[in-house]
Amino acid sequence: MIARRDLAVRVAARTDLSPTCFRVILETVDEVAAVPGQFGMLTCGVGFDPLLRRALSIAGVVRREGVTCVEMMVKEIGRGTTLLRHASVGSRLRLLAPLGNGFTLTAVEGTRLGLIVGGIGLPPVLFAAEQLAARKVGFDLYVGAASGAELLEVERCGKAAAAVGGELVLTTDDGSAGEHGFVTDALQRRLDGGCAYGRLLACGPNPMLAALTRLARDRALAAELSLEEPMACGVGVCLGCVVELEDGRYVASCKEGPVFSVDRLAERWWP
Amino acid sequence: MIARRDLAVRVAARTDLSPTCFRVILETVDEVAAVPGQFGMLTCGVGFDPLLRRALSIAGVVRREGVTCVEMMVKEIGRGTTLLRHASVGSRLRLLAPLGNGFTLTAVEGTRLGLIVGGIGLPPVLFAAEQLAARKVGFDLYVGAASGAELLEVERCGKAAAAVGGELVLTTDDGSAGEHGFVTDALQRRLDGGCAYGRLLACGPNPMLAALTRLARDRALAAELSLEEPMACGVGVCLGCVVELEDGRYVASCKEGPVFSVDRLAERWWP
Amino acid sequence: MNVRLDTTVGSLKLTNPVLAASGTFGYGLDLLEFCPPESLGGVVTKGLSPRPRRGNPTPRIVETAAGMINAIGLQNIGVEAFCREALPQLRVRGAVVVVNVFGERMEEYLEVIDRCEAEDGLAGYELNVSCPNVTAGGMEFGHDPVPLERLTAICRAATRRPLWVKLSPNAPDLVATARAAVAGGADALTLINTVRAMAIDADTRRPILANGFGGLSGPAVKPIALRMVWEVHKAVPAVPLVGIGGIETGRDVVEFVLAGASAVQVGTAIFRDPAAPLRIVAELETFCDDHKVARVAELTGGLQWR
Amino acid sequence: MNVRLDTTVGSLKLTNPVLAASGTFGYGLDLLEFCPPESLGGVVTKGLSPRPRRGNPTPRIVETAAGMINAIGLQNIGVEAFCREALPQLRVRGAVVVVNVFGERMEEYLEVIDRCEAEDGLAGYELNVSCPNVTAGGMEFGHDPVPLERLTAICRAATRRPLWVKLSPNAPDLVATARAAVAGGADALTLINTVRAMAIDADTRRPILANGFGGLSGPAVKPIALRMVWEVHKAVPAVPLVGIGGIETGRDVVEFVLAGASAVQVGTAIFRDPAAPLRIVAELETFCDDHKVARVAELTGGLQWR
Ligand SMILES: Cc1cc2nc3c(=O)[nH]c(=O)nc-3n(C[C@H](O)[C@H](O)[C@H](O)COP(=O)(O)OP(=O)(O)OC[C@H]3O[C@@H](n4cnc5c(N)ncnc54)[C@H](O)[C@@H]3O)c2cc1C
Ligand SMILES: Cc1cc2nc3c(=O)[nH]c(=O)nc-3n(C[C@H](O)[C@H](O)[C@H](O)COP(=O)(O)OP(=O)(O)OC[C@H]3O[C@@H](n4cnc5c(N)ncnc54)[C@H](O)[C@@H]3O)c2cc1C
Ligand SMILES: Cc1cc2nc3c(=O)[nH]c(=O)nc-3n(C[C@H](O)[C@H](O)[C@H](O)COP(=O)(O)O)c2cc1C
Ligand SMILES: Cc1cc2nc3c(=O)[nH]c(=O)nc-3n(C[C@H](O)[C@H](O)[C@H](O)COP(=O)(O)O)c2cc1C
Ligand code: FES
Ligand code: FES
């Protein structure tokens, strides 16, 4: 496993990406060797409330001139993420990272990969897309959101897909941009139309992942999902974040995940 | 009583005054009519930790162009004041103010007033000094601190005293500036030398106020002290901040104080 | 659509379910410009004893993580001064006033009630049998079902007004005290009072509070209070409950109501925000409207166990 | 001057008084780069049962104000896997290991101890009779002095190693359970386990935890834990206590030690900071040096009541 560390980081920049989502760049002098799918546990307050760090996927890592910039994309949903949105540039936080496993990024003979994103599920998948593009592994990228305004980083997504001749498929629940409907519906249409993917990599809200699981199981497609369970420690010691596997065992998603192959997951895990 | 309000304020500026103390300027569109000795209860975090607001004396109020600037001077001693020191300019806080009573600022026939400050006791007394100067009421100002570096706003103090021909007496515990010793010793020397004050107004740490109380009682001098008791509400409903009076009653120092006449206080109140 | 906030605690009708808690709102008249008492479901007075009490020496309060410990020791002006000075103004304003009753002996509880019975415009009584900060009275009645039932019965006999008993989270057997209060004739149960707690000054090696111990309140205790309300509701489902402990938002109120409360009280939150109870009423209204709740009262005990 | 941090809990010698708490540090080997187990006073394992346990369904944790509620349900790999997989590594490292023992029936506690007795390099046992998150075992032994004394006595007969009993803050009578554990032969008492608590989702009208209830831990409970340690210390002053509940700093350790603890455990703080126990040892050292404390052990019970 790649060495995790409790990094002293500085909020170097914050940009709005949509009405609800924003980007944070965290700067540290340490090197961070993260792979797509891994996450970090970030402090978001100073006192004991909120008590726990928040789990955030790593959207990218860039090192230059002795400084590492870790990119995260965050949706403001509750107290921790609101604090983060209002943290001033220059604030000092701590980031325990990189944690967990990552997506399998190898090519599958003769097919492309299918990358599927729902909403704020973008960061690990975009990180994967950019690394696949750099390695010239072909993929199509499906990105769904509630509305056009909530589609994040469309240009960057298009650029990554284009680099390997892949398609960027956009969908919105309200039809205000891209195809109308769920991102899994768009995927299904392409599959029905003869598109073949050697492996699906996905992150998004549970209902989307549930739909995707059914789709993948029905068609015996390999698929890896990045799951989001409430986490206290992020390092496997609290057992709060467990996911049920097909054999009935509960495993810590912060250690054995957050990326799981659909065929390992208990069916009743899906809501 | 002057109308108190729960003001929405903005941190407009923050300046270091000494290694441990800093000034905060809080801006609000509302008018604030505060008198020297009054204080406010300021929020200093966003979550439930720290839970309570912090009591801070008002050091001055300026209104111009529809904006009121409330000045506070703060010593960083614990969690709340540390948060305040690190609050970014522009942060939004709430200030419940003005609260409590104030010093008696009227002149006493034929004598000057004696104003005595220990350390971070400066804000209410400096506020008083500047108002007395504006009203041409004579006073001498005694300011004590642990060391020269901890003497706050010396120029401003000098200016206020000079405006009414008063003396500014500086003392430090370590002798690094002004007279060597406690501020109450300097006062005692002046009193022994024939100086007469119609009323003493003081704020500072409890040991200083205790010494002053003895001095005032021994010489039957009128004296008003601004006391500092731990406070939860600042508005008289928790009864956490009580001070014992000579008649044995406990009264809320946030309502009947924080300024008390020494002759009302129970002797055993002094540590 | 607008939710109906009115509710009842036993026979007592309230325009909304949010009351100010005893000991955190004075005698109802201290925060008029932030929170007029008549705008709330009701106000519970600071604990009243037959004669004025000085309370404990200082320090009396200390902040803890998301909470505070107090050991005020029931300083109060006495029932006589309350009836003469505060009550007339509360009456004129139309506030619903619940008198929090405290005594060192059973007779003292009766003395307070008897004095109040001479007055109009009082909605009811809340027996404080759970104050952790006094040596006599308080906890000793609240921890043992036998004297608690007796005390409740004696007070019951003295008034026809609604009689609430405020339970202690420190009691060995909470449900047993709840049943005892009901057996004694309580119309409703208020819970929880503060949790016995302590803070130590590592520098001086002494307790921070002059009293040594004190009672913990605020958001820190909310998860404990919520559990206790639900436990008591399951044990005595027909008994109206008044929930209290760490309530800071309208959403907190919904949680207590779902756990079984018919009304709630807001305490420590007032120290952070003098308008807290009124703000909480507004937040409750918004929550209910957003969630298409027609009447707050229909939520009581509506928790669906998984 | 340098403080001596070494201390004893009964016959057990520790190089410093800070242990990692059960359920918050895995089996001692998960956070090696942040907190090597041998650098601590000791590590207490996750509660071990005779056979592996799956634990409760999810959600198992929820954050509260300055605290968290957990209902893990004692998921563990079982004593056999622990002895084979984790213990050898802990032994090589020289860690002081206390096994937290859990069973649904008395015999299961014995099974765990018997299996461990076959192993070298274990410092002692901590009986978990206070887990609020399992239906069988746990609390029923911890709440009633009679079965608690019996369980302790049975375990006592099975080992000569130090035997600690971990007390429940939810017990009707804490001091009575303390005395029962001592009567049964406990060498030391650990307190407190988590406080029974609940969180409700106002939107879905259901408990947030799949288990309904759970146990509250973290800074929110510190003032309650401190009070309980002091109460038990006053009641049984000769019995070594291990303090636990919301410890986050070296100063917190001093407070628990003054209240009567000979050692402490750090739990939830580890979730916020994987190096917490080690950091706390360093803070404790600095505090003692600043305050001219020659030996930490001399502070135990040193609280001066006002
Ligand atoms: C491995 C992992 C990676 C993640 N990556 C990202 C990311 O890249 N960007 C991003 O915006 N978010 C991400 N999240 C989710 C993020 O951790 C939560 O949004 C965050 O914890 C919510 O914190 P909050 O304080 O804003 O909300 P809170 O105030 O804590 O909660 C608000 C509501 O959200 C629910 N909630 C809280 N935490 C979680 C959680 N972890 N999972 C599901 N529901 C929760 C609560 O029950 C509550 O109803 C990730 C989560 C995990 C486990
Ligand atoms: C009426 C009044 C006016 C005040 N004016 C000023 C002012 O103008 N400038 C200023 O810097 N400070 C002022 N104070 C003191 C200020 O409120 C405290 O310094 C502040 O509450 C400490 O907060 P903290 O969070 O930094 O410390 P904490 O972390 O809360 O405490 C640190 C230490 O200080 C002690 N402490 C905390 N609060 C108080 C208190 N109110 N009185 C005495 N000891 C306390 C604690 O017991 C602890 O040992 C005033 C206090 C009162 C009551
Ligand atoms: C400073 C203070 C004083 C209190 N005084 C009383 C009292 O006189 N009578 C009483 O029954 N409860 C008293 N309480 C308890 C509260 O009414 C309430 O039960 C408790 O604080 C929990 O609610 P909260 O977390 O909302 O504050 C007092 C609480 C505090 C904090
Ligand atoms: C996630 C979690 C799991 C726990 N598991 C156990 C356990 O297996 N056995 C046990 O005796 N205590 C267990 N505890 C209780 C802790 O050891 C400790 O008593 C409690 O959390 C209070 O300390 P803290 O506030 O420092 O966390 C657990 C606590 C938490 C938060
Ligand atoms: S978050 Fe603690 S075990 Fe995964
Ligand atoms: S601070 Fe609450 S009464 Fe004075």
Side-chain angles (χ1 to χ4, degrees):
Chain A
M1 196 204 284
I2 292 160
R4 55 188 182 180
R5 254 149 139 177
D6 194 12
L7 304 159
V9 298
R10 199 182 141 270
V11 177
R14 212 190 33 239
T15 340
D16 282 344
L17 298 175
S18 81
T20 64
C21 297
F22 58 99
R23 182 207 327 280
V24 195
I25 303 290
L26 302 172
E27 237 179 44
T28 167
V29 292
D30 290 302
E31 288 185 45
V32 179
V35 300
Q38 288 192 303
F39 66 101
M41 295 292 287
L42 185 66
T43 58
C44 46
V46 281
F48 293 132
D49 184 53
L51 185 72
L52 302 170
R53 300 187 187 206
R54 297 301 191 251
L56 295 170
S57 296
I58 295 171
V61 180
V62 178
R63 185 163 176 90
R64 60 159 180 264
E65 292 162 22
V67 174
T68 309
C69 287
V70 180
E71 180 186 4
M72 310 208 132
M73 297 177 189
V74 187
K75 178 167 186 164
E76 185 175 350
I77 62 162
R79 296 177 321 140
T81 50
T82 301
L83 275 170
L84 215 52
R85 179 158 218 156
H86 293 102
S88 47
V89 169
S91 332
R92 299 187 179 273
L93 305 173
R94 296 198 76 92
L95 176 70
L96 184 58
L99 301 174
N101 65 358
F103 290 116
T104 308
L105 296 185
T106 51
V108 180
E109 258 315 309
T111 63
R112 286 184 294 178
L113 305 188
L115 274 53
I116 302 105
V117 169
I120 191 60
L122 184 66
V125 179
L126 180 57
F127 190 8
E130 293 186 331
Q131 290 219 343
L132 290 170
R135 299 183 198 177
K136 301 289 171 214
V137 175
F139 63 87
D140 291 336
L141 177 54
Y142 295 78
V143 178
S147 67
E150 288 296 348
L151 281 168
L152 311 176
E153 296 278 33
V154 175
E155 232 174 279
R156 214 168 131 191
C157 289
K159 212 177 127 193
V164 291
E167 194 187 357
L168 170 64
V169 180
L170 301 177
T171 69
T172 56
D173 301 354
D174 67 0
S176 57
E179 299 178 23
H180 191 169
F182 295 137
V183 68
T184 43
D185 299 334
L187 171 67
Q188 182 156 9
R189 284 193 291 273
R190 299 291 190 294
L191 291 171
D192 289 343
C195 236
Y197 293 115
R199 188 186 307 117
L200 302 177
L201 309 180
C203 185
N206 278 352
M208 172 199 128
L209 296 182
L212 195 66
T213 304
R214 268 175 245 118
L215 213 101
R217 286 189 173 246
D218 288 351
R219 298 168 192 244
L221 287 174
E224 294 181 352
L225 313 182
S226 176
L227 302 181
E228 198 184 292
E229 286 293 300
M231 292 185 177
C233 72
V235 290
V237 295
C238 76
L239 300 181
C241 67
V242 295
V243 163
E244 191 178 2
L245 298 188
E246 225 174 13
D247 62 10
R249 282 188 310 134
Y250 283 121
V251 299
S253 68
C254 66
K255 267 186 96 167
E256 296 207 22
V259 176
F260 288 91
S261 177
V262 282
D263 51 13
R264 288 186 72 201
L265 293 170
E267 273 195 76
R268 80 167 191 69
W269 189 81
W270 303 107
Chain B
M1 198 204 284
I2 293 158
R4 55 188 183 181
R5 256 150 138 176
D6 194 12
L7 304 159
V9 298
R10 199 182 141 270
V11 177
R14 213 189 32 241
T15 339
D16 281 345
L17 298 176
S18 81
T20 64
C21 297
F22 58 99
R23 182 205 329 278
V24 195
I25 303 290
L26 302 172
E27 237 179 44
T28 168
V29 293
D30 291 302
E31 288 185 45
V32 179
V35 300
Q38 287 193 305
F39 67 101
M41 295 293 287
L42 184 65
T43 59
C44 46
V46 281
F48 293 131
D49 183 54
L51 186 72
L52 302 170
R53 301 188 187 205
R54 297 300 191 254
L56 295 171
S57 296
I58 294 170
V61 180
V62 178
R63 185 165 177 89
R64 58 160 181 264
E65 290 161 24
V67 175
T68 308
C69 287
V70 179
E71 179 185 5
M72 310 209 132
M73 296 177 191
V74 187
K75 178 167 185 163
E76 186 176 349
I77 61 162
R79 294 177 323 138
T81 50
T82 302
L83 275 170
L84 215 53
R85 179 157 218 156
H86 293 102
S88 47
V89 169
S91 329
R92 298 186 179 275
L93 306 173
R94 296 198 76 92
L95 177 70
L96 184 58
L99 301 174
N101 65 358
F103 290 115
T104 307
L105 296 185
T106 50
V108 181
E109 256 317 305
T111 64
R112 286 183 296 178
L113 305 187
L115 275 53
I116 302 106
V117 169
I120 191 61
L122 184 67
V125 180
L126 180 56
F127 190 8
E130 293 185 333
Q131 291 220 344
L132 290 169
R135 299 184 199 178
K136 302 289 171 213
V137 176
F139 63 88
D140 291 336
L141 178 54
Y142 294 79
V143 178
S147 67
E150 288 295 348
L151 281 168
L152 312 175
E153 296 278 32
V154 174
E155 233 174 279
R156 214 168 131 192
C157 289
K159 213 178 127 191
V164 290
E167 193 188 356
L168 170 64
V169 180
L170 301 176
T171 69
T172 55
D173 301 354
D174 66 0
S176 57
E179 300 179 22
H180 191 169
F182 294 137
V183 68
T184 43
D185 299 334
L187 171 67
Q188 183 157 8
R189 283 192 291 272
R190 300 289 190 294
L191 291 172
D192 290 341
C195 236
Y197 295 115
R199 188 186 308 115
L200 302 176
L201 309 180
C203 186
N206 278 352
M208 173 199 127
L209 296 182
L212 196 66
T213 305
R214 268 176 246 117
L215 213 99
R217 286 190 173 244
D218 287 351
R219 298 169 191 243
L221 287 175
E224 294 181 353
L225 312 182
S226 176
L227 302 180
E228 197 185 292
E229 286 294 299
M231 291 184 177
C233 72
V235 291
V237 296
C238 76
L239 300 181
C241 67
V242 295
V243 164
E244 190 178 3
L245 298 189
E246 224 174 13
D247 63 9
R249 282 188 309 133
Y250 283 122
V251 299
S253 68
C254 65
K255 268 187 95 168
E256 297 207 23
V259 177
F260 289 90
S261 177
V262 282
D263 52 13
R264 288 187 72 201
L265 292 170
E267 273 195 77
R268 79 168 191 70
W269 188 82
W270 303 108
Chain C
M1 194 197 71
N2 254 357
V3 60
R4 282 186 53 196
L5 290 179
D6 61 297
T7 186
T8 57
V9 177
S11 60
L12 182 62
K13 291 192 201 325
L14 304 174
T15 54
N16 70 60
V18 180
L19 292 85
S22 179
T24 63
F25 201 62
Y27 305 102
L29 297 162
D30 287 292
L31 300 174
L32 295 178
E33 69 273 52
F34 302 109
C35 208
E38 66 277 13
S39 65
L40 302 179
V43 298
V44 186
T45 67
K46 174 74 194 164
L48 290 170
S49 45
R51 280 152 295 279
R53 285 176 62 98
R54 290 182 76 214
N56 290 330
T58 56
R60 292 177 167 189
I61 53 170
V62 57
E63 191 187 53
T64 65
M68 62 178 281
I69 314 179
N70 89 81
I72 307 301
L74 283 161
Q75 174 174 346
N76 76 90
I77 58 174
V79 66
E80 184 59 40
F82 169 75
C83 289
R84 282 211 227 156
E85 292 158 28
L87 185 56
Q89 296 179 62
L90 290 165
R91 215 161 15 208
V92 169
R93 292 183 155 265
V96 171
V97 180
V98 175
V99 168
N100 184 273
V101 182
F102 175 78
E104 296 191 359
R105 288 160 291 110
M106 293 211 186
E107 305 80 64
E108 291 198 348
Y109 284 87
L110 270 187
E111 271 186 72
V112 174
I113 292 177
D114 284 344
R115 175 64 189 82
C116 290
E117 286 292 292
E119 302 285 340
D120 285 335
L122 276 176
Y125 304 100
E126 179 178 81
L127 302 184
N128 178 358
V129 293
S130 45
C131 179
N133 301 323
V134 289
T135 43
M139 297 232 284
E140 75 219 38
F141 295 118
H143 283 193
D144 185 344
V146 178
L148 179 58
E149 180 175 340
R150 229 184 108 225
L151 175 70
T152 311
I154 289 176
C155 294
R156 173 74 294 166
T159 182
R160 303 177 125 201
R161 287 181 174 150
L163 182 66
W164 303 354
V165 173
K166 185 161 178 181
L167 302 179
S168 167
N170 311 298
D173 186 339
L174 180 68
V175 166
T177 56
R179 289 191 207 280
V182 172
D187 296 296
L189 304 172
T190 304
L191 67 169
I192 60 174
N193 209 316
T194 53
V195 182
R196 204 165 143 86
M198 187 172 177
I200 292 174
D201 185 331
D203 292 320
T204 63
R205 303 189 188 177
R206 289 175 191 279
I208 293 180
L209 300 175
N211 189 51
F213 298 109
L216 183 66
S217 65
V221 306
K222 195 189 101 179
I224 303 174
L226 212 47
R227 180 262 291 183
M228 290 183 165
V229 169
W230 175 247
E231 279 178 354
V232 171
H233 176 66
K234 292 303 281 181
V236 289
V239 178
L241 304 181
V242 182
I244 173 165
I247 293 174
E248 290 271 349
T249 66
R251 185 173 267 269
D252 291 340
V253 176
V254 175
E255 294 170 20
F256 274 86
V257 169
L258 289 170
S262 296
V264 301
Q265 295 177 15
V266 174
T268 302
I270 297 172
F271 303 160
R272 292 164 43 85
D273 172 7
L278 208 53
R279 168 179 54 77
I280 289 170
V281 172
E283 289 170 355
L284 175 64
E285 193 159 13
T286 306
F287 180 95
C288 289
D289 287 346
D290 289 351
H291 288 71
K292 308 208 184 335
V293 176
R295 290 200 54 180
V296 164
E298 83 201 16
L299 294 177
T300 296
L303 183 72
Q304 293 169 264
W305 200 254
R306 326 187 132 248
Chain D
M1 195 197 70
N2 254 357
V3 61
R4 283 186 52 196
L5 291 179
D6 61 298
T7 188
T8 57
V9 178
S11 60
L12 182 63
K13 290 191 201 327
L14 304 174
T15 54
N16 71 60
V18 181
L19 293 85
S22 180
T24 62
F25 201 61
Y27 305 102
L29 297 162
D30 287 291
L31 300 174
L32 296 179
E33 68 274 50
F34 302 109
C35 209
E38 66 277 13
S39 64
L40 302 179
V43 298
V44 186
T45 67
K46 173 75 194 164
L48 290 170
S49 45
R51 279 152 297 279
R53 285 177 63 99
R54 289 183 75 214
N56 290 330
T58 59
R60 292 176 168 189
I61 52 170
V62 57
E63 191 186 53
T64 64
M68 63 177 282
I69 315 179
N70 88 81
I72 307 300
L74 283 162
Q75 174 175 346
N76 76 90
I77 57 174
V79 66
E80 184 59 40
F82 169 76
C83 289
R84 282 211 228 157
E85 292 158 29
L87 185 56
Q89 295 179 62
L90 290 165
R91 213 159 20 205
V92 169
R93 292 182 154 266
V96 171
V97 180
V98 175
V99 168
N100 184 274
V101 183
F102 175 78
E104 296 191 1
R105 288 160 291 110
M106 294 211 185
E107 306 80 64
E108 291 198 346
Y109 284 87
L110 271 187
E111 270 186 74
V112 173
I113 293 176
D114 283 345
R115 176 63 189 83
C116 290
E117 287 293 291
E119 301 285 340
D120 286 336
L122 277 176
Y125 303 100
E126 179 179 81
L127 303 184
N128 179 357
V129 292
S130 45
C131 179
N133 300 324
V134 289
T135 43
M139 297 232 285
E140 76 218 38
F141 296 118
H143 282 193
D144 186 344
V146 178
L148 180 59
E149 180 174 342
R150 228 184 108 225
L151 175 70
T152 311
I154 289 175
C155 294
R156 173 76 293 167
T159 181
R160 303 177 124 199
R161 287 179 173 151
L163 182 66
W164 302 354
V165 173
K166 186 161 176 181
L167 301 179
S168 168
N170 310 298
D173 187 338
L174 180 69
V175 167
T177 56
R179 288 190 207 280
V182 172
D187 295 297
L189 305 172
T190 304
L191 67 168
I192 61 172
N193 210 318
T194 54
V195 182
R196 204 165 143 86
M198 187 173 178
I200 292 174
D201 184 331
D203 292 319
T204 62
R205 302 188 189 177
R206 289 175 192 279
I208 293 179
L209 299 174
N211 189 50
F213 298 110
L216 183 65
S217 65
V221 306
K222 195 189 100 179
I224 303 174
L226 212 47
R227 180 261 293 183
M228 290 182 164
V229 169
W230 176 246
E231 278 178 354
V232 171
H233 176 66
K234 291 303 280 183
V236 290
V239 179
L241 304 181
V242 181
I244 173 165
I247 293 175
E248 290 272 348
T249 66
R251 185 174 267 269
D252 291 340
V253 176
V254 175
E255 295 169 20
F256 274 86
V257 170
L258 289 170
S262 296
V264 301
Q265 294 178 16
V266 174
T268 302
I270 297 172
F271 303 160
R272 293 165 41 86
D273 172 5
L278 208 53
R279 169 178 54 77
I280 289 170
V281 172
E283 289 170 355
L284 175 64
E285 193 160 11
T286 305
F287 179 95
C288 289
D289 287 347
D290 289 351
H291 288 72
K292 307 206 184 336
V293 176
R295 290 200 54 180
V296 164
E298 82 200 17
L299 294 177
T300 296
L303 183 73
Q304 293 169 264
W305 198 254
R306 332 186 128 247

